[in-house]
Amino acid sequence: MDIDNTIDMIERGTLEIISHDELKEKLQKDSPVAYIGYEPSGKVHLGHAITVKKMIDLQKAGFKIKILLADLHAYLNEKGTLEEIKEIADYMRKCFLAFGLSEETEFILGSSFQTSEEYTCKIYQLALSTTLARAKRSMAQITRHETDHRVAEVIYPLMQVIDMLFLDVDVALGGMEQRKIHMLARENLPKVGSSVPVIIHTPLLHGTDGSEKMSSSKENFIAIDDSPETIKKKIKNSFCPAGEVEGNPIIEIAKHFIYDHKDTMLIERPPKFGGNLELSYNELLESYKDGKLHPLDLKNTVTNELIEILEPVRNYFE
């Protein structure tokens, strides 16, 4: 694969890359490192899967993949006891492998290096050059507390920045809620003796209830190891307003998980309801906006497609 095709593959389905020129430079390295961190909490769902899919692309592009299972971050964000969090971390590792990351993927528990003397000194060093306001802003979309803020909220982003130094990161990937922390990293890593990583952001998936973000804590998710019956029930009850495509989670699932590997999607309907439709993504949007495609027909098709896509994950856990 030539470098332009590689860049195109990496860029597909992303919202931004900072920057393309730097990414080309990183691709010239021997075994460049791409990293993402996850708080081990709840079930692994389609929101996680969007980023895992992009890590698979980076793996295909020649990157060594490091997945940080950020147990101490999860603890600081009140996601459970350390023992509970470590159990979930092992479940997440299995889910990511089942979803398609290769066995060569390096899974790293945050507590395996985040309590060392050298790491702690780097945190102190970064704390001296980071304002309290900037640290708090970077956590606005991540913290569990909107008003009664904890000191942990300003430690969390500093740790995430220093993680990139310790993991020798060339590319840092995350959803758009991570943007402020990633920009904090690009500005401050040179101050602690580290190179600047390329940043790649992927879209956030709306929750099945129509809220801004799919989240296990909000119970508005489809887990990648859900049973076919559960997937069918969750999609049937999902927010999917007729004629509306913006913020529609069922449209988003079709875009990110069905149209990413096929050009058209077959909508099967009885003749009395107009018969079958075979639609490209743009045709799907137009048909839905124009009222030519009923929400129930869209839901039924996406249900069947998603059940098939997630079958390897279910088989992995059997």
Side-chain angles (χ1 to χ4, degrees):
M1 184 181 294
D2 66 37
I3 194 162
D4 288 333
N5 287 335
T6 301
I7 294 287
D8 287 344
M9 178 183 69
I10 293 171
E11 186 175 28
R12 184 180 63 235
T14 66
L15 293 179
E16 64 178 351
I17 296 176
I18 309 171
S19 68
H20 283 80
D21 289 341
E22 292 176 26
L23 179 58
K24 287 183 179 180
E25 292 178 10
K26 300 293 188 183
L27 284 165
Q28 305 299 324
K29 293 182 62 175
D30 292 331
S31 299
V33 172
Y35 129 99
I36 187 170
Y38 296 98
E39 284 187 9
S41 63
K43 299 285 282 184
V44 173
H45 54 68
L46 296 183
H48 296 104
I50 287 181
T51 53
V52 176
K53 276 156 44 66
K54 188 50 54 185
M55 294 305 277
I56 293 171
D57 285 342
L58 289 165
Q59 202 159 48
K60 292 175 181 175
F63 282 86
K64 176 179 175 59
I65 302 302
K66 293 185 179 181
I67 305 292
L68 176 63
L69 299 171
D71 55 335
L72 291 183
H73 285 83
Y75 183 71
L76 287 173
N77 211 10
E78 300 180 85
K79 298 297 178 68
T81 67
L82 284 173
E83 292 74 18
E84 292 168 340
I85 291 166
K86 286 178 180 178
E87 286 184 12
I88 298 172
D90 186 57
Y91 155 76
M92 293 187 83
R93 179 185 63 81
K94 293 174 182 175
C95 282
F96 295 154
L97 291 173
F99 197 71
L101 279 168
S102 81
E103 294 287 346
E104 296 175 354
T105 303
E106 185 176 359
F107 293 93
I108 303 161
L109 202 62
S111 57
S112 67
F113 67 92
Q114 290 168 342
T115 58
S116 70
E117 180 179 350
E118 184 182 2
Y119 184 93
T120 304
C121 287
K122 288 294 183 183
I123 294 288
Y124 294 160
Q125 187 179 347
L126 182 58
L128 287 171
S129 61
T130 306
T131 67
L132 184 61
R134 182 65 189 281
K136 286 174 66 178
R137 280 200 309 272
S138 69
M139 285 292 291
Q141 290 185 278
I142 300 173
T143 181
R144 295 172 66 87
H145 296 280
E146 295 181 1
T147 54
D148 190 16
H149 296 282
R150 306 289 195 266
V151 175
E153 293 174 33
V154 295
I155 299 173
Y156 186 116
L158 301 186
M159 289 176 61
Q160 191 166 335
V161 172
I162 299 303
D163 290 342
M164 298 181 202
L165 183 156
F166 271 72
L167 298 178
D168 195 21
V169 171
D170 293 296
V171 168
L173 176 74
M176 283 299 287
E177 84 282 6
Q178 299 287 330
R179 192 178 196 279
K180 287 186 173 66
I181 292 181
H182 284 160
M183 300 315 292
L184 183 71
R186 280 181 62 87
E187 292 173 21
N188 286 282
L189 278 171
K191 299 176 184 177
V192 292
S194 177
S195 59
V196 173
V198 171
I199 304 298
I200 300 177
H201 290 129
T202 55
L204 294 177
L205 193 65
H206 281 78
T208 54
D209 58 356
S211 62
E212 189 175 64
K213 181 183 176 183
M214 186 171 284
S215 169
S216 57
S217 63
K218 294 181 179 179
E219 296 292 326
N220 64 356
F221 66 91
I222 296 172
I224 67 170
D225 58 340
D226 272 344
S227 68
E229 294 76 19
T230 299
I231 292 172
K232 184 175 182 179
K233 181 179 179 181
K234 286 182 177 180
I235 292 183
K236 180 181 179 181
N237 294 329
S238 288
F239 177 76
C240 187
E244 295 185 25
V245 297
E246 294 297 326
N248 185 324
I250 306 305
I251 294 285
E252 291 176 351
I253 291 170
K255 177 182 179 180
H256 295 296
F257 295 96
I258 299 171
Y259 284 107
D260 73 322
H261 67 277
K262 58 170 62 177
D263 294 329
T264 61
M265 182 170 70
L266 180 63
I267 310 287
E268 295 184 342
R269 305 184 302 186
K272 65 179 180 178
F273 294 127
N276 293 349
L277 291 172
E278 189 160 2
L279 304 172
S280 68
Y281 178 66
N282 288 333
E283 290 169 340
L284 175 75
L285 296 182
E286 291 305 313
S287 295
Y288 198 76
K289 286 190 287 188
D290 292 344
K292 296 176 182 177
L293 176 60
H294 192 276
L296 184 58
D297 292 320
L298 174 63
K299 285 183 174 184
N300 288 339
T301 301
V302 169
T303 294
N304 294 333
E305 293 275 0
L306 194 59
I307 287 171
E308 183 178 347
I309 289 167
L310 297 179
E311 183 178 9
V313 181
R314 296 191 300 273
N315 291 342
Y316 184 94
F317 281 99
E318 287 182 354

